[in-house]
Amino acid sequence: SLRKAATINPSHEEVKALLEKTEPLTTPVPEPQAEPEAEGAEPARPKVRHEWYQTDDFVILEVFIKRVQKDAAAVEFGERAVSLSVKMATGSENNYDFDPLQHNIVASESTFEVLSTKIEIRLKKAQPGVKWSHLEQTDEDQAAKSLSQLGSSRKGVSWDTIAADAEKEAKLKPSEQGVNELFQSIYRDADPDTRRAMMKSYVESNGTSLSTDWSSVGKGPVETLPPTDTFAKPYSS
């Protein structure tokens, strides 16, 4: 190396010049410091390997944590959620929440068992025989749920009503037909996120809002925006 050559012949000018040029390149670069978590930010779920499979009656969730004492694990079952709390040997406590699940469960008939290499959680299906495609609900599940609500919403909308509305639409003025055709064209040609945004915003706003921006609509419920000088009245069955 150049440093070794300089040790052998310290008076060699060419070696000294090369060494001066290369030394700044070998200066260690400080490692970037991790940014502190923002205040109020929701803590991320601790990373742990888990797998699941199902039978006609149960969904079996396996959380792979070794050497957990039987009295150090606790599981809470909800109608559509399960929460696992584990006290580690170090004294810390880790929580693993699966919420919302894709389908409802029977909390009173769900159980768990602590084994040597894992914690096995047995979730009793509320609808035996129904196959789960995911453990937790996805955006696609939510969109499908919103679509089904069009057929049986709290306003009593039925497919017969929708068919009748379609017949009325055929009798609309040309200008009104153009607006409806525009919306239909946007939905037909849109990507999945845009379709989800349109469906979610229209259903949750009770038909008072229509958005194509999933990044905004997907953050939470869409507010009902009644026309000026009117107000939204809660529906009571």
Side-chain angles (χ1 to χ4, degrees):
S1 66
L2 290 174
R3 188 171 296 280
K4 184 176 181 181
T7 303
I8 297 174
N9 190 358
S11 62
H12 197 292
E13 295 299 329
E14 185 176 353
V15 172
K16 290 171 62 179
L18 288 173
L19 186 60
E20 289 175 358
K21 291 181 179 180
T22 57
E23 278 189 337
L25 299 178
T26 60
T27 304
V29 179
E31 295 183 359
Q33 299 294 321
E35 295 184 2
E37 292 186 3
E39 292 185 5
E42 183 177 347
R45 178 193 294 174
K47 292 184 178 179
V48 63
R49 186 168 72 91
H50 65 274
E51 297 177 357
W52 69 280
Y53 61 95
Q54 62 186 306
T55 65
D56 285 343
D57 297 316
F58 286 91
V59 169
I60 297 87
L61 171 61
E62 298 177 324
V63 182
F64 293 91
I65 306 177
K66 296 181 179 179
R67 295 183 293 276
V68 175
Q69 298 297 320
K70 292 187 180 298
D71 59 352
V75 177
E76 292 185 6
F77 300 100
E79 183 180 17
R80 202 168 179 176
V82 59
S83 176
L84 168 63
S85 176
V86 180
K87 293 182 179 179
M88 310 302 292
T90 57
S92 63
E93 182 172 322
N94 290 342
N95 297 303
Y96 309 93
D97 297 320
F98 301 89
D99 181 16
L101 298 170
Q102 187 178 45
H103 297 287
N104 289 0
I105 62 173
V106 182
S108 60
E109 297 182 35
S110 299
T111 61
F112 76 98
E113 183 178 5
V114 178
L115 305 174
S116 60
T117 59
K118 63 184 178 181
I119 299 173
E120 184 177 280
I121 303 173
R122 297 177 61 85
L123 307 174
K124 173 67 174 180
K125 291 181 177 180
Q127 295 177 293
V130 172
K131 297 300 181 184
W132 294 26
S133 57
H134 301 87
L135 178 62
E136 296 178 90
Q137 178 177 278
T138 64
D139 291 340
E140 289 74 13
D141 294 330
Q142 179 61 40
K145 180 180 179 182
S146 297
L147 183 61
S148 67
Q149 289 175 344
L150 289 176
S152 56
S153 69
R154 61 178 180 274
K155 291 183 177 180
V157 178
S158 66
W159 291 113
D160 291 337
T161 303
I162 294 175
D165 290 342
E167 185 176 350
K168 291 179 182 178
E169 184 177 330
K171 301 178 182 178
L172 292 175
K173 299 177 182 178
S175 60
E176 295 174 329
Q177 289 179 350
V179 173
N180 281 274
E181 289 175 358
L182 174 62
F183 289 149
Q184 291 170 3
S185 175
I186 293 174
Y187 187 86
R188 181 178 62 250
D189 300 332
D191 57 51
D193 282 346
T194 300
R195 290 187 176 188
R196 284 198 295 268
M198 294 177 69
M199 183 66 68
K200 185 173 185 291
S201 62
Y202 185 81
V203 172
E204 293 185 354
S205 70
N206 297 295
T208 63
S209 176
L210 184 65
S211 173
T212 59
D213 184 8
W214 178 250
S215 62
S216 175
V217 174
K219 293 179 180 179
V222 180
E223 183 182 0
T224 298
L225 301 173
T228 305
D229 298 330
T230 64
F231 62 94
K233 183 177 180 181
Y235 175 81
S236 57
S237 56

